[in-house]
């Protein structure tokens, strides 16, 4: 079945460092891909999405490009802030109407 | 606009007790979902619904039941609570297009002792 694999956390970085969180997927057909973020004590919220190959999703300085050839959707940000500390989930949506999430990656940003 | 509302926020159950987690959305979304989030394990889909009167199993449906009598409400029922059901439960909704975003409730933290 469909699945999402993302890098294990926690990831700890200093403020203004470059961030990459890796995500790869297995799916039939052409799924939509998402990154969700969960701040402490809250539910998940959509950060960005891409619906077809070579699309780039972006929001709040974060970017991710849909790479069909490598089945990847890595999340990047050029300069992280303390306020970016959260858990990040990679996810895919396919034609069977279900959204499948990865296990999440906890990010800690040190001032 | 309330979005997705879950109640209660916290609950402690004894083994074998039953309870219903409530979920309501006011966005007229057709699709609704129940997920559980275990520490370090991400989200697992329990049940989902694509419209009133239609429900389907997700990855981990055992020990749970759902109903969808209206578009707005999607309650999750635990009949015989077990310690393995200790988790944080999230309800979510979305529009029919698969690439539309999920709107999440704030979660219910359940402990079974």
């Amino acid at each position: 079945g469909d699945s999402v694999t993302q890098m294990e956390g926690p990831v700890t970085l200093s403020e203004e460092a470059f961030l990459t969180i890796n995500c790869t997927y297995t799916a039939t057909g052409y799924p939509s891909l998402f990154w969700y973020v969960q701040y402490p004590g809250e539910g998940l919220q959509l950060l960005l999405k891409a619906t077809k190959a070579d699309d780039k999703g972006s929001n709040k300085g974060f970017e991710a490009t849909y790479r069909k050839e490598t089945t990847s959707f890595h999340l990047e940000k050029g300069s992280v802030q303390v306020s970016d500390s959260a858990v990040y989930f990679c996810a895919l949506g396919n034609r069977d109407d279900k959204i499948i999430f990865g296990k999440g990656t906890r990010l800690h940003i040190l001032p | 606009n309330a979005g997705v509302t879950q109640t209660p926020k916290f609950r402690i159950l004894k083994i074998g007790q039953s309870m219903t987690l409530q979920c309501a959305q006011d966005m007229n979304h057709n699709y609704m979902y129940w997920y559980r989030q275990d520490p370090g394990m991400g989200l697992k889909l329990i049940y989902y619904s694509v419209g009133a009167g239609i429900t389907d199993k997700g990855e981990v449906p055992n020990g749970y039941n759902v109903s969808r009598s209206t578009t707005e409400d999607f309650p999750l029922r635990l009949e015989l609570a077990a310690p393995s059901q200790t988790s944080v439960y999230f309800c979510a909704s979305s529009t029919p297009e698969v690439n539309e975003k999920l709107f999440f409730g704030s979660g219910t933290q359940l402990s079974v002792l």
Side-chain angles (χ1 to χ4, degrees), chain A residues 36 38 46 49 94 99, chain B residues 31 35 37 98-99 101-102:
Chain A
Y36 278 80
Q38 184 180 29
L46 181 67
K49 69 176 185 181
N94 216 333
I99 307 295
Chain B
Y31 289 12
Y35 289 90
Q37 185 181 28
V98 73
N99 60 353
K101 68 178 182 179
L102 294 178

Side-chain angles (χ1 to χ4, degrees), chain A residues 29-48:
Chain A
Y30 302 94
S32 293
L33 300 174
F34 310 89
W35 277 100
Y36 278 80
V37 58
Q38 184 180 29
Y39 297 105
E42 299 182 8
L44 282 72
Q45 54 187 279
L46 181 67
L47 179 61
L48 53 84

Side-chain angles (χ1 to χ4, degrees), chain B residues 7-21 78 80-83 85-89 107-113:
Chain B
T7 56
K9 291 190 182 299
F10 303 94
R11 184 71 185 267
I12 298 174
L13 288 181
K14 295 182 180 178
I15 295 171
Q17 286 186 318
S18 62
M19 77 163 293
T20 299
L21 281 67
L78 284 71
L80 291 171
Q85 294 177 305
T86 294
S87 189
V88 180
Y89 292 83
T108 296
Q109 188 168 326
L110 175 66
S111 297
V112 182
L113 305 175

Side-chain angles (χ1 to χ4, degrees), chain B residues 18-78:
Chain B
S18 62
M19 77 163 293
T20 299
L21 281 67
Q22 301 292 344
C23 176
Q25 53 91 10
D26 61 0
M27 297 172 284
N28 202 32
H29 284 173
N30 292 81
Y31 289 12
M32 295 187 75
Y33 310 81
W34 274 107
Y35 289 90
R36 57 178 288 172
Q37 185 181 28
D38 300 327
M41 295 300 292
L43 279 81
K44 295 289 187 182
L45 181 64
I46 305 171
Y47 271 95
Y48 68 107
S49 168
V50 300
I54 305 169
T55 62
D56 209 344
K57 295 178 181 179
E59 303 168 78
V60 290
N62 292 345
Y64 306 94
N65 279 300
V66 293
S67 60
R68 185 90 183 274
S69 57
T70 66
T71 299
E72 293 77 20
D73 300 300
F74 190 42
L76 178 71
R77 178 82 177 164
L78 284 71

